[in-house]
Structure formats: structure tokens, C-alpha cells
Amino acid sequence: MTSFILKLPKTRGRMRENADLAKINWFQVGGRAEVLFKPEDAGDLAEFFAGKPNDIPTTIIGVGSNLLIRDGGIDGVVIRLGRGFADCEAQGDRLIVGAACLNSNAVLVAKEHNIGGLEFLSGIPGSIGGALAMNAGAYGVETKDVLIEAEAVDQQGNIHKLTPAQLKYSYRHSELPEGWIFTKATLQGKIENSDVIAARIAEISASRSSTQPIRSRTGGSTFRNPPEKKAWQLIDEAGCRGLQIGGAQMSELHCNFMINTGDATAYDLESLGEEVRKRVFAHSGIMLQWEIKRIGKSV
């Protein structure tokens, strides 16, 4: 055990040194975490922050669905919410859901309790925490449209209740203060027939399967849609559909999706993304903005 980990407060959750982060993100690339911490619950997370020395950096990751971790890894403590944050409970026409709960699982629990209006989440890879952080949306609905209240823990160990107005949501963006971590949310649905809800879920699933490389190692949409045109159209018009660098490729099926064809490095993937941005700008004068979050050190 290093002197670094000995500086950290005692917790009820799990701490592991030199943890391989490639195993816990959807691209399956990236380096190692100096320390990986999986808190037991929100109280454990709050106590960790309250007792952590200020000079030790922390990085928060979810299930790694919209994340590119660079090959040099991440210094300090990487925090990943686990089983203690994955509960999902129906209360009338609302869903109380932990930040680590997968979006798809939350939708299934809602269906079981005849809660409709949340099916769009089944079309978004990842967890509720990620959806809250980036105001994820699909099929004409965004997270802000169904959020009643979110809970988050700050870097001093204080627990906050936040409304959509306080989070100042905009397209694929929230104003959550730096370093705060969402722990759970209350989502508003509406009571409907479960068969109707199931039909909408099936329709979304069929649409995704036919238009997105969901069985590949991917991070979802690579770039945000600019106001002028859909990102995939700009990428296609710039001749980047199927473009490949090393083991990284822009999907032939949906060219705003990057995929790891098997042996890509994080460097390959980020280089490919930057090359696409350069070619799209040269063709259209529009500079695409990354939707995938890129973190860590290069090698």
C-alpha cells in the first residue's frame, strides 16, 4: 500500500490501487487509475469528501458509456458509483432512481409499475447519473423534461437537492458545479397501460438496432449537433463515413459513432475524432464540438 492511499479517509466502500480503467468503459481503452474508489452509499461518499485532503484530485466516472479515458490513465482518486446507487423505486407516477442505475433498467421498472413518459431513456446508453450531468435526450425528450429533483454530493461532503432550474439545463449540458456527483433523482412520469409503454420501448429498440452500432465498442454520439445541421450529415458530406485510424473507425452504419474495431488505443480514437473535426471544418466551415467526454493523461 502506497503512502498516497494512506492519506485517504477510511471508508465503507472499496478502494483499489492501480486499477485498470479499460475494463470499465464501453470503448474498452485507457490507462489505470492511481486509486479507484467505489463508495457504499451517499453517506460514505459524503464522508470521503469531508475527510479527503484538498491536494488529492478526484475524477468522477459513471458506467463509461460516453467517455474516452486516455492511455496514460488518471492521477488521484477515480470515483465510480456502484451497487449502492443503483436502486430504482416507483412512487405513484414518479420514479426514485439511483445515479448508477442504467437508463434501460429504470425504464423497465417504470413499465412494471405502469409509469409512462420515460421510454426515451431506453434509447440512451449509460446511467441516470450521466443523463443528469449532460441533460441526455432522445426522440424529442430531454432529461430536464422529466426531472423533478436531483441529489448531489459536493467536494466538502455536503448533500444538495437540486431542481432543473438550479441546474440551468441546456442542450447536452448542465451547470452542475465542478466536482459534484449526482447520487439519485426523482423523475416524473404518467400512469399508462403497460402494453402501450412496452410497445414504445420496442419501437425505440428496433430503431436503435437498425441505425446505430449498438453491439460495437462505442461511446455513443461522438459530436454534438450544431445549430446548422445534424453532426452525422456534416461528417458524411466531408467523406468521413468509415474513416479509420489504427483500430478506431467512424461507423459505416452511423457515422457520428466512433467504434473500437478490436485493437484501438485511446490515442487512435481521439486522433480520429480530431481528424474528423478538421475535415468537417474544411468542408463546411463548422467546427464540431465533442459530446464524448475525454479525460486522463496522454502517453
Side-chain angles (χ1 to χ4, degrees), residues 134-172:
M134 67 175 294
N135 186 31
Y139 305 99
V141 187
E142 294 180 312
T143 302
K144 68 177 179 61
D145 299 326
V146 298
L147 179 64
I148 298 297
E149 182 181 79
E151 180 182 281
V153 177
D154 69 22
Q155 291 276 316
Q156 288 70 49
N158 303 304
I159 298 176
H160 302 265
K161 306 287 188 182
L162 300 163
T163 65
Q166 289 171 309
L167 289 165
K168 298 179 181 177
Y169 277 126
S170 58
Y171 175 68
R172 302 297 180 265

Side-chain angles (χ1 to χ4, degrees), residues 32-220:
R32 293 177 175 270
E34 199 167 358
V35 171
L36 178 64
F37 172 42
K38 295 184 178 180
E40 184 73 19
D41 51 34
D44 191 35
L45 178 61
E47 290 169 10
F48 168 80
F49 276 130
K52 181 189 71 68
N54 291 331
D55 62 342
I56 295 179
T58 57
T59 302
I60 302 98
I61 63 173
V63 295
S65 62
N66 197 240
L67 184 70
L68 180 59
I69 300 171
R70 295 186 176 104
D71 300 307
I74 302 174
D75 291 337
V77 180
V78 173
I79 300 171
R80 189 174 196 250
L81 304 187
R83 191 174 302 170
F85 298 83
D87 291 343
C88 188
E89 175 190 359
Q91 291 185 1
D93 58 358
R94 293 182 176 184
L95 210 62
I96 315 301
V97 57
C101 180
L102 292 177
N103 297 328
S104 56
N105 289 347
V107 171
L108 291 178
V109 172
K111 179 181 73 70
E112 289 170 5
H113 291 84
N114 300 319
I115 301 174
L118 304 177
E119 296 83 16
F120 77 99
L121 288 168
S122 67
I124 301 170
S127 65
I128 293 295
L132 292 170
M134 67 175 294
N135 186 31
Y139 305 99
V141 187
E142 294 180 312
T143 302
K144 68 177 179 61
D145 299 326
V146 298
L147 179 64
I148 298 297
E149 182 181 79
E151 180 182 281
V153 177
D154 69 22
Q155 291 276 316
Q156 288 70 49
N158 303 304
I159 298 176
H160 302 265
K161 306 287 188 182
L162 300 163
T163 65
Q166 289 171 309
L167 289 165
K168 298 179 181 177
Y169 277 126
S170 58
Y171 175 68
R172 302 297 180 265
H173 178 75
S174 76
E175 291 291 336
L176 185 73
E178 183 76 23
W180 290 28
I181 303 179
F182 285 116
T183 54
K184 68 177 180 181
T186 301
L187 306 180
Q188 180 68 63
K190 55 186 177 182
I191 299 300
E192 290 189 287
N193 183 287
S194 63
D195 290 340
V196 173
I197 298 169
R200 285 201 292 262
I201 294 171
E203 184 180 351
I204 290 171
S205 177
S207 174
R208 288 189 68 219
S209 296
S210 65
T211 60
Q212 299 175 12
I214 59 175
R215 291 176 178 82
S216 301
R217 299 179 191 177
T218 183

